[in-house]
Amino acid sequence: MQDRDTSPILSVRNLDVRFGRNAIAAVSGVSFDVGRERVGIVGESGSGKSTTGRAVMRLLPPKAVVTADRLDFLGQDMLAKTGRQMDALRGKDMALIMQDPRYSLNPVLTIGKQIAESAMLHLGLGGKAALDAARAMLTRVRIADPDRVMAQYPHQISGGMGQRVMIAMMLIAKPKLVIADEPTSALDVSVRKDVLVLLDELVRENSSGLILISHDIRMVAAFCQRIIVMYRGKAVEELVSLEAAQHPYTRALIAAMPDPRHPVRRLAVMDRAALDAAAEVTR
Ligand SMILES: Nc1ncnc2c1ncn2[C@@H]1O[C@H](COP(=O)(O)OP(=O)(O)OP(=O)(O)O)[C@@H](O)[C@H]1O
Ligand SMILES: [Mg+2]
């Protein structure tokens, strides 16, 4: 906890997102800050985790209606930015790492070219220097034979390697905020931890803020200093450890993720009506 610095990189107050003017809110009244720290967002499928992350990065489709009392990144109002200003921020100051690298990497460009392009665009490096930076970054994400990988296309590499390539590409510009949305759920169990450890290492090295989005509350608890629990579009609880969980939904989420050290025979079944009452869900 000593490395926690809460001067906010991101400050969100009363965020509300609807997909259409009269649609039900997919995210409602969500408030949180992120400093140079690792913050997790957890919740079941459809609870609004990705929508929250994408709203911050202004990556929602045009039909999405986003309002907030505050949506500040590095002291700047994200809702007042033009598309072009957002393009300049994304990739350089804020980066999104998604579930499956195969859909995020460009299939017709070699890995080396893609990372070098990122270095040229965001760091202003020339061709040769950008390729050198790409090679160094691949080594940094522990790719043993960077020259061979640089010459490959995304479909030629494994999922775990693809996710390390994504991390290299996203973190080469040392963004101030990294949003990782289920960064390991498409990966083989054996490489999940490596990818998270690596992400964690780079984020600390750069003193960036990290938002780790996952349905896996135990995994998030292992990597994050704070956890925001979302249920039906609302942030129902904020925790520093699982032991502190008060909300029945959070407890149900913890119970639904068996602790590998303490296998359970039966998983707890969530009582939706009681949870809705506890979350004061009105829809
Ligand atoms: N492009 C979209 N158009 C319409 N509705 C959407 C869109 N994206 C998300 N939603 C709706 O917003 C709500 C929240 O979805 P979101 O993807 O944020 O959930 P999530 O917590 O990330 O779930 P998962 O764990 O499955 O990724 C859902 O009801 C979903 O159907
Ligand atoms: Mg999602």
Side-chain angles (χ1 to χ4, degrees), residues 132-210:
D132 288 344
R135 188 177 297 106
M137 197 64 202
L138 284 176
T139 308
R140 184 66 194 76
V141 298
R142 296 191 205 101
I143 286 176
D145 188 356
D147 284 305
R148 189 175 57 86
V149 173
M150 296 224 324
Q152 288 181 314
Y153 289 89
H155 71 270
Q156 295 175 305
I157 58 174
S158 69
M161 179 132 11
Q163 203 56 306
R164 282 190 278 159
V165 166
M166 270 305 287
I167 291 172
M169 196 160 84
M170 290 301 177
L171 298 193
I172 199 164
K174 299 190 178 6
K176 298 285 181 300
L177 177 68
V178 178
I179 301 182
D181 190 349
E182 303 275 8
T184 61
S185 50
L187 303 180
D188 206 82
V189 176
S190 62
V191 297
R192 281 184 190 175
K193 183 139 184 272
D194 295 347
V195 166
L196 281 175
V197 166
L198 186 61
L199 186 60
D200 183 53
E201 228 174 77
L202 287 166
V203 160
R204 285 181 201 236
E205 208 171 281
N206 297 346
S207 310
S208 313
L210 171 71

Side-chain angles (χ1 to χ4, degrees), residues 17-20 24-27 42-54 60-61 63-64 99 181-182 213-215 230 233 283:
V17 182
R18 287 158 207 273
F19 291 97
I24 295 166
V27 171
V42 300
E44 66 190 332
S45 187
S47 56
K49 306 182 297 295
S50 299
T51 303
T52 300
R54 289 175 161 268
L60 291 167
K63 69 173 174 180
Q99 186 172 358
D181 190 349
E182 303 275 8
I213 296 176
S214 174
H215 61 276
M230 288 193 71
R283 56 192 220 191

Side-chain angles (χ1 to χ4, degrees), residues 105-115 117 150-154:
L105 294 169
N106 185 337
V108 299
L109 274 188
T110 60
I111 306 282
K113 279 225 172 89
Q114 292 188 53
I115 303 178
E117 264 193 5
M150 296 224 324
Q152 288 181 314
Y153 289 89

Side-chain angles (χ1 to χ4, degrees), residues 22-33:
N22 298 315
I24 295 166
V27 171
S28 165
V30 168
S31 300
F32 62 94
D33 285 339

